Amino acid sequence: MTHKIKTPFFVFNPKSYLYGEELVALAKRADELAVKHPECSILVTVPFADIAAVKNATENIIVTAQHMDGIYPGRGIGHVLPESIYHAGARAVFLNHAERPMTVSALAQSIKRAKELGIQTIVCADSISESKAVAVMGAEVILCEPTELIGTGKTSDSSYIEQTNQAIKEIDDTILVMQAAGISKAEDVYRTIELGADGTGCTSGITNADSPAEMLTDMVEALVKAYKERG
Protein backbone atom coordinates (compact mmCIF):
# COMPACT_ATOMS: atom_id res chain seq x y z
CA MET A 1 0.00 0.00 0.00
CA THR A 2 1.31 3.42 -0.96
CA HIS A 3 0.59 6.27 1.43
CA LYS A 4 -0.01 9.41 -0.62
CA ILE A 5 1.78 12.43 0.84
CA LYS A 6 -0.76 14.58 2.68
CA THR A 7 -0.70 18.18 3.85
CA PRO A 8 0.89 18.94 6.21
CA PHE A 9 3.90 16.65 6.01
CA PHE A 10 7.21 16.34 7.83
CA VAL A 11 10.41 14.83 6.47
CA PHE A 12 13.08 13.48 8.81
CA ASN A 13 16.18 13.34 6.62
CA PRO A 14 19.07 11.82 8.58
CA LYS A 15 21.32 11.79 5.47
CA SER A 16 24.39 9.77 6.52
CA TYR A 17 24.29 10.73 10.21
CA LEU A 18 22.35 7.62 11.19
CA TYR A 19 22.20 3.99 10.07
CA GLY A 20 21.36 0.56 11.41
CA GLU A 21 19.66 0.13 14.78
CA GLU A 22 19.82 3.80 15.75
CA LEU A 23 18.04 4.80 12.54
CA VAL A 24 15.42 2.05 12.95
CA ALA A 25 14.71 3.23 16.51
CA LEU A 26 14.00 6.79 15.33
CA ALA A 27 11.95 5.52 12.39
CA LYS A 28 9.82 3.62 14.91
CA ARG A 29 9.25 6.86 16.85
CA ALA A 30 8.24 8.54 13.59
CA ASP A 31 5.85 5.65 12.96
CA GLU A 32 4.25 6.17 16.38
CA LEU A 33 3.81 9.87 15.61
CA ALA A 34 2.19 9.00 12.26
CA VAL A 35 -0.37 6.90 14.14
CA LYS A 36 -0.99 9.70 16.65
CA HIS A 37 -1.40 12.30 13.88
CA PRO A 38 -3.08 10.53 10.94
CA GLU A 39 -4.00 13.90 9.42
CA CYS A 40 -0.37 14.46 8.41
CA SER A 41 2.28 12.46 6.56
CA ILE A 42 5.68 11.65 8.03
CA LEU A 43 8.50 10.67 5.71
CA VAL A 44 11.89 9.28 6.72
CA THR A 45 14.69 9.33 4.17
CA VAL A 46 16.88 6.29 4.49
CA PRO A 47 20.32 5.25 3.19
CA PHE A 48 19.86 2.60 0.50
CA ALA A 49 21.27 -0.23 2.63
CA ASP A 50 18.76 0.48 5.42
CA ILE A 51 15.56 0.83 3.36
CA ALA A 52 14.36 -2.74 3.85
CA ALA A 53 15.11 -2.76 7.59
CA VAL A 54 13.22 0.50 8.16
CA LYS A 55 10.32 -0.63 5.99
CA ASN A 56 10.04 -3.93 7.89
CA ALA A 57 10.04 -2.09 11.24
CA THR A 58 7.33 0.45 10.37
CA GLU A 59 3.85 0.65 8.88
CA ASN A 60 2.69 4.26 8.78
CA ILE A 61 5.62 6.41 7.66
CA ILE A 62 6.56 6.86 4.01
CA VAL A 63 10.00 5.29 3.60
CA THR A 64 11.97 7.54 1.27
CA ALA A 65 15.13 6.90 -0.73
CA GLN A 66 17.81 9.59 -0.81
CA HIS A 67 18.38 9.37 -4.58
CA MET A 68 17.48 7.28 -7.61
CA ASP A 69 18.87 6.99 -11.13
CA GLY A 70 16.54 6.97 -14.12
CA ILE A 71 17.74 3.61 -15.39
CA TYR A 72 16.01 0.36 -16.31
CA PRO A 73 17.05 -3.13 -15.18
CA GLY A 74 20.17 -4.19 -17.02
CA ARG A 75 23.57 -2.57 -17.24
CA GLY A 76 24.52 0.10 -14.68
CA ILE A 77 26.88 -1.02 -11.93
CA GLY A 78 26.96 1.32 -8.94
CA HIS A 79 23.76 3.09 -9.96
CA VAL A 80 20.52 3.15 -7.97
CA LEU A 81 17.88 1.12 -9.79
CA PRO A 82 14.29 2.36 -9.26
CA GLU A 83 12.91 -1.19 -9.12
CA SER A 84 15.47 -2.03 -6.43
CA ILE A 85 14.45 0.73 -4.01
CA TYR A 86 10.76 0.01 -4.69
CA HIS A 87 11.29 -3.66 -3.90
CA ALA A 88 13.12 -2.72 -0.70
CA GLY A 89 10.12 -0.65 0.42
CA ALA A 90 10.71 2.96 -0.67
CA ARG A 91 7.60 4.76 -1.87
CA ALA A 92 9.11 8.22 -2.25
CA VAL A 93 12.49 9.55 -3.36
CA PHE A 94 14.54 12.72 -3.01
CA LEU A 95 15.98 14.00 -6.27
CA ASN A 96 18.45 16.80 -7.07
CA HIS A 97 19.49 17.52 -3.50
CA ALA A 98 22.37 20.00 -3.19
CA GLU A 99 24.52 17.09 -1.98
CA ARG A 100 23.46 14.93 -4.97
CA PRO A 101 22.75 17.35 -7.85
CA MET A 102 21.44 16.11 -11.20
CA THR A 103 21.48 17.41 -14.76
CA VAL A 104 18.13 18.47 -16.20
CA SER A 105 17.98 15.43 -18.49
CA ALA A 106 18.88 13.00 -15.67
CA LEU A 107 16.29 14.57 -13.38
CA ALA A 108 13.57 14.36 -16.03
CA GLN A 109 14.39 10.69 -16.62
CA SER A 110 14.31 9.86 -12.91
CA ILE A 111 10.94 11.59 -12.47
CA LYS A 112 9.61 9.60 -15.44
CA ARG A 113 10.83 6.30 -13.94
CA ALA A 114 9.39 7.18 -10.53
CA LYS A 115 5.98 7.80 -12.07
CA GLU A 116 6.12 4.43 -13.86
CA LEU A 117 6.60 2.65 -10.53
CA GLY A 118 4.36 4.78 -8.30
CA ILE A 119 7.25 6.32 -6.36
CA GLN A 120 6.46 9.87 -5.22
CA THR A 121 9.12 12.45 -6.02
CA ILE A 122 10.47 15.20 -3.77
CA VAL A 123 12.59 17.39 -6.03
CA CYS A 124 14.93 20.01 -4.63
CA ALA A 125 15.12 23.46 -6.20
CA ASP A 126 17.46 26.30 -5.24
CA SER A 127 15.76 29.33 -6.79
CA ILE A 128 12.30 30.48 -7.85
CA SER A 129 13.14 29.91 -11.53
CA GLU A 130 14.40 26.39 -10.76
CA SER A 131 11.23 25.72 -8.76
CA LYS A 132 9.14 26.67 -11.80
CA ALA A 133 11.13 24.35 -14.07
CA VAL A 134 10.70 21.44 -11.68
CA ALA A 135 6.97 22.17 -11.41
CA VAL A 136 6.66 21.80 -15.19
CA MET A 137 8.45 18.41 -14.93
CA GLY A 138 5.64 17.16 -12.70
CA ALA A 139 7.20 16.52 -9.30
CA GLU A 140 4.76 15.64 -6.50
CA VAL A 141 6.67 17.74 -3.96
CA ILE A 142 9.15 20.56 -4.54
CA LEU A 143 11.65 21.34 -1.80
CA CYS A 144 12.51 25.03 -2.14
CA GLU A 145 15.79 25.44 -0.35
CA PRO A 146 18.51 28.01 -0.99
CA THR A 147 21.68 25.90 -1.00
CA GLU A 148 23.64 28.42 1.05
CA LEU A 149 21.24 27.99 4.00
CA ILE A 150 21.43 24.19 4.28
CA GLY A 151 22.72 23.16 7.69
CA THR A 152 23.25 26.75 8.85
CA GLY A 153 20.34 27.05 11.25
CA LYS A 154 19.17 30.09 9.26
CA THR A 155 15.72 29.74 7.73
CA SER A 156 14.52 31.21 4.43
CA ASP A 157 13.02 34.66 4.76
CA SER A 158 9.27 35.05 4.51
CA SER A 159 9.35 36.68 1.06
CA TYR A 160 11.28 33.71 -0.44
CA ILE A 161 8.81 31.25 1.10
CA GLU A 162 5.75 33.17 -0.08
CA GLN A 163 7.11 33.83 -3.60
CA THR A 164 8.14 30.22 -4.25
CA ASN A 165 4.84 28.92 -2.91
CA GLN A 166 2.94 31.24 -5.27
CA ALA A 167 5.14 30.53 -8.30
CA ILE A 168 4.71 26.77 -8.00
CA LYS A 169 0.97 26.80 -7.27
CA GLU A 170 0.37 29.03 -10.32
CA ILE A 171 1.85 26.29 -12.51
CA ASP A 172 0.18 23.34 -10.76
CA ASP A 173 -1.77 23.80 -7.55
CA THR A 174 -1.65 20.05 -6.80
CA ILE A 175 2.13 20.17 -6.25
CA LEU A 176 3.05 20.26 -2.58
CA VAL A 177 5.63 22.84 -1.52
CA MET A 178 8.24 21.98 1.09
CA GLN A 179 10.35 24.68 2.77
CA ALA A 180 13.10 23.36 5.02
CA ALA A 181 16.22 25.52 4.87
CA GLY A 182 17.84 25.92 8.28
CA ILE A 183 15.12 24.20 10.31
CA SER A 184 16.72 23.54 13.70
CA LYS A 185 13.95 23.76 16.31
CA ALA A 186 10.21 23.32 16.69
CA GLU A 187 9.63 27.09 16.42
CA ASP A 188 11.17 27.05 12.92
CA VAL A 189 8.74 24.33 11.90
CA TYR A 190 5.78 26.31 13.24
CA ARG A 191 6.86 29.51 11.43
CA THR A 192 7.42 27.75 8.10
CA ILE A 193 3.97 26.12 8.10
CA GLU A 194 2.39 29.36 9.32
CA LEU A 195 3.86 31.12 6.25
CA GLY A 196 2.06 28.72 3.92
CA ALA A 197 4.35 25.76 3.24
CA ASP A 198 2.67 22.37 2.82
CA GLY A 199 5.48 20.66 4.66
CA THR A 200 8.95 20.95 6.12
CA GLY A 201 11.73 18.77 7.45
CA CYS A 202 14.99 18.57 9.34
CA THR A 203 18.34 16.80 9.53
CA SER A 204 20.98 17.99 11.99
CA GLY A 205 18.48 19.75 14.26
CA ILE A 206 17.22 16.26 15.11
CA THR A 207 20.36 14.13 14.80
CA ASN A 208 22.44 16.55 16.92
CA ALA A 209 19.78 17.13 19.58
CA ASP A 210 20.31 15.88 23.14
CA SER A 211 17.33 13.62 22.51
CA PRO A 212 16.68 13.14 18.78
CA ALA A 213 13.43 11.30 19.53
CA GLU A 214 12.11 14.20 21.63
CA MET A 215 13.13 16.78 19.02
CA LEU A 216 11.41 14.78 16.28
CA THR A 217 8.29 14.62 18.43
CA ASP A 218 8.38 18.36 19.19
CA MET A 219 8.76 19.22 15.50
CA VAL A 220 5.86 17.03 14.38
CA GLU A 221 3.67 18.48 17.15
CA ALA A 222 4.60 22.01 15.99
CA LEU A 223 3.77 21.08 12.38
CA VAL A 224 0.30 19.83 13.31
CA LYS A 225 -0.40 22.80 15.61
CA ALA A 226 0.67 25.40 13.02
CA TYR A 227 -1.42 23.82 10.26
CA LYS A 228 -4.53 23.67 12.45
CA GLU A 229 -4.12 27.26 13.57
CA ARG A 230 -3.46 28.41 9.99
CA GLY A 231 -6.92 27.16 9.13
Side-chain angles (χ1 to χ4, degrees):
M1 174 182 169
T2 298
H3 297 290
K4 186 166 174 56
I5 300 172
K6 295 177 282 194
T7 303
F9 62 91
F10 186 84
V11 181
F12 172 38
N13 181 17
K15 297 183 180 175
S16 295
Y17 288 95
L18 300 177
Y19 57 89
E21 292 178 5
E22 195 176 2
L23 175 59
V24 168
L26 268 178
K28 286 182 176 178
R29 170 59 71 96
D31 206 53
E32 292 167 2
L33 290 166
V35 173
K36 183 179 178 183
H37 300 289
E39 70 274 26
C40 71
S41 289
I42 300 177
L43 297 82
V44 179
T45 70
V46 180
F48 305 122
D50 292 296
I51 289 174
V54 169
K55 178 61 179 175
N56 290 337
T58 61
E59 292 183 2
N60 302 284
I61 60 171
I62 300 174
V63 179
T64 306
Q66 297 181 351
H67 172 73
M68 184 187 88
D69 294 304
I71 61 171
Y72 287 90
R75 293 181 61 180
I77 190 167
H79 293 277
V80 182
L81 176 68
E83 279 82 357
S84 179
I85 64 166
Y86 186 91
H87 180 263
R91 293 297 179 267
V93 63
F94 260 80
L95 296 171
N96 198 43
H97 193 276
E99 296 173 17
R100 193 68 167 81
M102 304 174 75
T103 64
V104 172
S105 59
L107 177 58
Q109 181 63 17
S110 287
I111 291 173
K112 175 179 178 244
R113 293 260 40 229
K115 288 184 182 299
E116 289 172 0
L117 291 171
I119 298 172
Q120 299 170 94
T121 52
I122 303 161
V123 182
C124 304
D126 182 35
S127 62
I128 293 174
S129 58
E130 205 172 290
S131 299
K132 289 180 178 179
V134 171
V136 172
M137 287 185 187
E140 274 87 15
V141 178
I142 298 177
L143 168 51
C144 304
E145 189 169 63
T147 302
E148 68 271 14
L149 296 182
I150 295 173
T152 64
K154 296 178 182 176
T155 58
S156 300
D157 63 45
S158 57
S159 63
Y160 175 88
I161 292 175
E162 289 162 359
Q163 286 172 28
T164 48
N165 287 356
Q166 183 179 354
I168 291 165
K169 299 291 187 181
E170 283 176 357
I171 292 171
D172 184 345
D173 63 6
T174 68
I175 295 174
L176 301 181
V177 181
M178 178 178 173
Q179 305 274 0
I183 300 293
S184 59
K185 52 188 184 294
E187 291 81 3
D188 297 332
V189 171
Y190 186 94
R191 171 183 171 272
T192 301
I193 298 303
E194 186 181 38
L195 287 171
D198 295 309
T200 189
C202 184
T203 298
S204 56
I206 294 173
T207 60
N208 294 342
D210 292 337
S211 170
E214 285 183 21
M215 180 61 80
L216 174 62
T217 302
D218 290 347
M219 286 187 171
V220 171
E221 300 282 357
L223 173 99
V224 172
K225 184 172 186 284
Y227 191 72
K228 283 179 180 173
E229 291 179 359
R230 191 173 90 187

Short mmCIF file of all heavy atoms in Angstrom, two decimals, residues 23-52:
data_model
loop_
_atom_site.label_atom_id
_atom_site.label_comp_id
_atom_site.label_asym_id
_atom_site.label_seq_id
_atom_site.Cartn_x
_atom_site.Cartn_y
_atom_site.Cartn_z
N LEU A 23 18.98 4.26 13.52
CA LEU A 23 18.04 4.80 12.54
C LEU A 23 16.68 4.11 12.66
O LEU A 23 15.64 4.77 12.65
CB LEU A 23 18.60 4.61 11.13
CG LEU A 23 17.67 5.01 9.98
CD1 LEU A 23 17.26 6.47 10.08
CD2 LEU A 23 18.35 4.73 8.64
N VAL A 24 16.68 2.80 12.82
CA VAL A 24 15.42 2.05 12.95
C VAL A 24 14.65 2.52 14.19
O VAL A 24 13.43 2.69 14.15
CB VAL A 24 15.69 0.53 13.01
CG1 VAL A 24 14.43 -0.22 13.44
CG2 VAL A 24 16.16 0.03 11.65
N ALA A 25 15.36 2.77 15.28
CA ALA A 25 14.71 3.23 16.51
C ALA A 25 13.99 4.56 16.30
O ALA A 25 12.85 4.75 16.74
CB ALA A 25 15.73 3.35 17.64
N LEU A 26 14.64 5.50 15.59
CA LEU A 26 14.00 6.79 15.33
C LEU A 26 12.86 6.66 14.31
O LEU A 26 11.85 7.35 14.40
CB LEU A 26 15.03 7.80 14.83
CG LEU A 26 15.69 8.66 15.92
CD1 LEU A 26 16.73 9.58 15.31
CD2 LEU A 26 14.66 9.47 16.70
N ALA A 27 13.03 5.77 13.36
CA ALA A 27 11.95 5.52 12.39
C ALA A 27 10.72 4.97 13.10
O ALA A 27 9.58 5.31 12.76
CB ALA A 27 12.42 4.55 11.31
N LYS A 28 10.95 4.14 14.13
CA LYS A 28 9.82 3.62 14.91
C LYS A 28 9.12 4.74 15.67
O LYS A 28 7.89 4.76 15.78
CB LYS A 28 10.30 2.54 15.89
CG LYS A 28 10.64 1.22 15.23
CD LYS A 28 11.07 0.20 16.28
CE LYS A 28 11.31 -1.17 15.69
NZ LYS A 28 11.77 -2.14 16.71
N ARG A 29 9.88 5.70 16.20
CA ARG A 29 9.25 6.86 16.85
C ARG A 29 8.43 7.65 15.83
O ARG A 29 7.31 8.08 16.12
CB ARG A 29 10.32 7.75 17.48
CG ARG A 29 9.81 9.12 17.99
CD ARG A 29 8.71 9.01 19.06
NE ARG A 29 9.23 8.53 20.32
CZ ARG A 29 9.60 9.32 21.32
NH1 ARG A 29 9.51 10.63 21.21
NH2 ARG A 29 10.05 8.79 22.44
N ALA A 30 8.98 7.84 14.64
CA ALA A 30 8.24 8.54 13.59
C ALA A 30 6.95 7.79 13.25
O ALA A 30 5.90 8.40 13.00
CB ALA A 30 9.12 8.68 12.34
N ASP A 31 7.02 6.47 13.25
CA ASP A 31 5.85 5.65 12.96
C ASP A 31 4.77 5.84 14.02
O ASP A 31 3.58 5.93 13.71
CB ASP A 31 6.28 4.18 12.89
CG ASP A 31 5.36 3.35 12.00
OD1 ASP A 31 5.15 3.75 10.84
OD2 ASP A 31 4.86 2.31 12.46
N GLU A 32 5.19 5.92 15.28
CA GLU A 32 4.25 6.17 16.38
C GLU A 32 3.57 7.53 16.21
O GLU A 32 2.37 7.68 16.45
CB GLU A 32 4.98 6.12 17.73
CG GLU A 32 5.48 4.73 18.10
CD GLU A 32 6.46 4.76 19.26
OE1 GLU A 32 6.71 5.86 19.80
OE2 GLU A 32 6.98 3.69 19.63
N LEU A 33 4.36 8.52 15.81
CA LEU A 33 3.81 9.87 15.61
C LEU A 33 2.83 9.90 14.43
O LEU A 33 1.84 10.63 14.46
CB LEU A 33 4.95 10.87 15.36
CG LEU A 33 5.83 11.16 16.58
CD1 LEU A 33 7.10 11.88 16.16
CD2 LEU A 33 5.07 11.97 17.62
N ALA A 34 3.10 9.08 13.41
CA ALA A 34 2.19 9.00 12.26
C ALA A 34 0.85 8.40 12.66
O ALA A 34 -0.20 8.77 12.12
CB ALA A 34 2.84 8.19 11.14
N VAL A 35 0.88 7.48 13.62
CA VAL A 35 -0.37 6.90 14.14
C VAL A 35 -1.12 7.94 14.97
O VAL A 35 -2.34 8.09 14.86
CB VAL A 35 -0.07 5.65 14.99
CG1 VAL A 35 -1.35 5.16 15.67
CG2 VAL A 35 0.52 4.55 14.14
N LYS A 36 -0.38 8.69 15.78
CA LYS A 36 -0.99 9.70 16.65
C LYS A 36 -1.58 10.85 15.84
O LYS A 36 -2.59 11.45 16.24
CB LYS A 36 0.07 10.23 17.62
CG LYS A 36 -0.46 11.24 18.62
CD LYS A 36 0.63 11.71 19.57
CE LYS A 36 0.12 12.77 20.54
NZ LYS A 36 1.19 13.28 21.42
N HIS A 37 -0.96 11.17 14.70
CA HIS A 37 -1.40 12.30 13.88
C HIS A 37 -1.70 11.83 12.46
O HIS A 37 -0.96 12.13 11.51
CB HIS A 37 -0.34 13.40 13.85
CG HIS A 37 -0.01 13.95 15.20
ND1 HIS A 37 -0.88 14.75 15.90
CD2 HIS A 37 1.10 13.81 15.98
CE1 HIS A 37 -0.33 15.09 17.06
NE2 HIS A 37 0.87 14.54 17.13
N PRO A 38 -2.78 11.09 12.27
CA PRO A 38 -3.08 10.53 10.94
C PRO A 38 -3.42 11.60 9.90
O PRO A 38 -3.46 11.30 8.71
CB PRO A 38 -4.28 9.62 11.21
CG PRO A 38 -4.92 10.19 12.45
CD PRO A 38 -3.79 10.71 13.27
N GLU A 39 -3.67 12.83 10.36
CA GLU A 39 -4.00 13.90 9.42
C GLU A 39 -2.78 14.42 8.66
O GLU A 39 -2.91 15.18 7.70
CB GLU A 39 -4.69 15.06 10.15
CG GLU A 39 -3.80 15.86 11.10
CD GLU A 39 -3.67 15.29 12.50
OE1 GLU A 39 -3.83 14.06 12.68
OE2 GLU A 39 -3.38 16.07 13.43
N CYS A 40 -1.58 14.02 9.10
CA CYS A 40 -0.37 14.46 8.41
C CYS A 40 0.42 13.26 7.91
O CYS A 40 0.16 12.12 8.30
CB CYS A 40 0.50 15.34 9.31
SG CYS A 40 1.34 14.46 10.64
N SER A 41 1.38 13.51 7.03
CA SER A 41 2.28 12.46 6.56
C SER A 41 3.66 12.67 7.17
O SER A 41 4.12 13.81 7.29
CB SER A 41 2.40 12.49 5.03
OG SER A 41 1.22 12.05 4.40
N ILE A 42 4.31 11.59 7.53
CA ILE A 42 5.68 11.65 8.03
C ILE A 42 6.54 10.77 7.13
O ILE A 42 6.24 9.59 6.93
CB ILE A 42 5.78 11.20 9.49
CG1 ILE A 42 4.91 12.09 10.38
CG2 ILE A 42 7.24 11.24 9.96
CD1 ILE A 42 4.87 11.69 11.84
N LEU A 43 7.58 11.38 6.59
CA LEU A 43 8.50 10.67 5.71
C LEU A 43 9.86 10.57 6.40
O LEU A 43 10.28 11.50 7.10
CB LEU A 43 8.67 11.40 4.37
CG LEU A 43 7.43 11.53 3.47
CD1 LEU A 43 6.55 12.71 3.90
CD2 LEU A 43 7.85 11.72 2.03
N VAL A 44 10.52 9.45 6.22
CA VAL A 44 11.89 9.28 6.72
C VAL A 44 12.77 8.88 5.54
O VAL A 44 12.51 7.86 4.89
CB VAL A 44 11.96 8.21 7.83
CG1 VAL A 44 13.41 8.05 8.30
CG2 VAL A 44 11.06 8.59 9.00
N THR A 45 13.76 9.70 5.24
CA THR A 45 14.69 9.33 4.17
C THR A 45 15.74 8.41 4.75
O THR A 45 16.21 8.60 5.86
CB THR A 45 15.36 10.54 3.52
OG1 THR A 45 16.28 11.13 4.43
CG2 THR A 45 14.34 11.58 3.09
N VAL A 46 16.10 7.40 3.97
CA VAL A 46 16.88 6.29 4.49
C VAL A 46 18.02 5.95 3.53
O VAL A 46 17.81 5.89 2.32
CB VAL A 46 15.95 5.05 4.64
CG1 VAL A 46 16.71 3.86 5.18
CG2 VAL A 46 14.76 5.37 5.54
N PRO A 47 19.24 5.74 4.06
CA PRO A 47 20.32 5.25 3.19
C PRO A 47 19.88 3.96 2.51
O PRO A 47 19.14 3.15 3.09
CB PRO A 47 21.48 5.00 4.17
CG PRO A 47 21.18 5.89 5.34
CD PRO A 47 19.69 5.92 5.45
N PHE A 48 20.34 3.73 1.29
CA PHE A 48 19.86 2.60 0.50
C PHE A 48 19.94 1.27 1.26
O PHE A 48 19.02 0.46 1.22
CB PHE A 48 20.66 2.49 -0.81
CG PHE A 48 20.66 3.75 -1.61
CD1 PHE A 48 21.85 4.36 -1.94
CD2 PHE A 48 19.47 4.33 -2.02
CE1 PHE A 48 21.86 5.55 -2.67
CE2 PHE A 48 19.46 5.52 -2.75
CZ PHE A 48 20.67 6.12 -3.07
N ALA A 49 21.06 1.06 1.95
CA ALA A 49 21.27 -0.23 2.63
C ALA A 49 20.32 -0.46 3.79
O ALA A 49 20.17 -1.60 4.26
CB ALA A 49 22.72 -0.31 3.12
N ASP A 50 19.66 0.60 4.26
CA ASP A 50 18.76 0.48 5.42
C ASP A 50 17.28 0.52 5.04
O ASP A 50 16.42 0.41 5.91
CB ASP A 50 19.04 1.62 6.41
CG ASP A 50 20.40 1.48 7.08
OD1 ASP A 50 20.59 0.49 7.81
OD2 ASP A 50 21.27 2.34 6.87
N ILE A 51 16.96 0.68 3.76
CA ILE A 51 15.56 0.83 3.36
C ILE A 51 14.71 -0.36 3.80
O ILE A 51 13.66 -0.19 4.42
CB ILE A 51 15.44 1.04 1.83
CG1 ILE A 51 15.96 2.43 1.43
CG2 ILE A 51 13.98 0.89 1.38
CD1 ILE A 51 16.00 2.67 -0.07
N ALA A 52 15.16 -1.56 3.52
CA ALA A 52 14.36 -2.74 3.85
C ALA A 52 14.16 -2.89 5.36
O ALA A 52 13.06 -3.20 5.82
CB ALA A 52 15.01 -4.01 3.28
#
